[in-house]
Amino acid sequence: MSHADLARHVRRGLASWQLERALALLLEHLDAGIEVTALARACALSRSDFTRKFKVSIGATPQAWLRRQRVEKAKRLLAEARLPLAEIGLECGFCDQAHFCRIFTRLEGVTPLGWQRLAG
């Protein structure tokens, strides 16, 4: 990528302060979620502009990034093997165990218990 292409790409994405703010807010609200409108407001952008710039900066939508972070947290909890699946799902912001298992399996290619066995 040429210097001019890189400069255009950076301008199309979020400013560094906006990206830091958005990621911090997403992580603060990992368990309950946060509306994209609130993220956009915190970054002084419209909802559509924020969503587009976030995707340019991160390579995923805010919701997809949040789901990935929830699954990463779930993997850490599964590795500790102290909580039942339903509690891990709730702790990570999923509405129930079925939703947790569905999203985890879609992103990891294996069920949470299967991942736990492989990681153990």
Side-chain angles (χ1 to χ4, degrees), residues 86-108:
E87 285 185 44
I88 290 174
L90 292 174
E91 177 80 20
C92 296
F94 295 99
C95 58
D96 57 37
Q97 182 176 337
H99 183 235
F100 165 53
C101 290
R102 189 170 48 254
I103 298 297
F104 190 99
T105 302
R106 183 184 317 146
L107 293 179
E108 293 299 316

Side-chain angles (χ1 to χ4, degrees), residues 13-33:
L14 294 170
S16 61
W17 74 267
Q18 291 170 319
L19 184 58
E20 288 174 22
R21 180 74 178 130
L23 295 179
L25 284 169
L26 283 162
L27 290 173
E28 283 174 29
H29 295 90
L30 189 64
D31 58 343

Side-chain angles (χ1 to χ4, degrees), residues 15-89:
S16 61
W17 74 267
Q18 291 170 319
L19 184 58
E20 288 174 22
R21 180 74 178 130
L23 295 179
L25 284 169
L26 283 162
L27 290 173
E28 283 174 29
H29 295 90
L30 189 64
D31 58 343
I34 183 171
E35 291 186 12
V36 174
T37 305
L39 294 169
R41 193 176 315 117
C43 293
L45 296 169
S46 70
R47 178 187 166 100
S48 60
D49 202 24
F50 171 79
T51 302
R52 182 179 48 77
K53 289 180 179 227
F54 187 93
K55 189 166 185 176
V56 167
S57 298
I58 297 293
T61 65
Q63 295 88 350
W65 189 86
L66 186 65
R67 274 192 302 274
R68 169 52 59 196
Q69 299 313 304
R70 287 176 171 169
V71 167
E72 291 303 317
K73 180 178 180 181
K75 287 165 51 177
R76 289 190 298 274
L77 293 174
L78 285 166
E80 295 172 5
R82 294 187 189 143
L83 298 172
L85 279 184
E87 285 185 44
I88 290 174

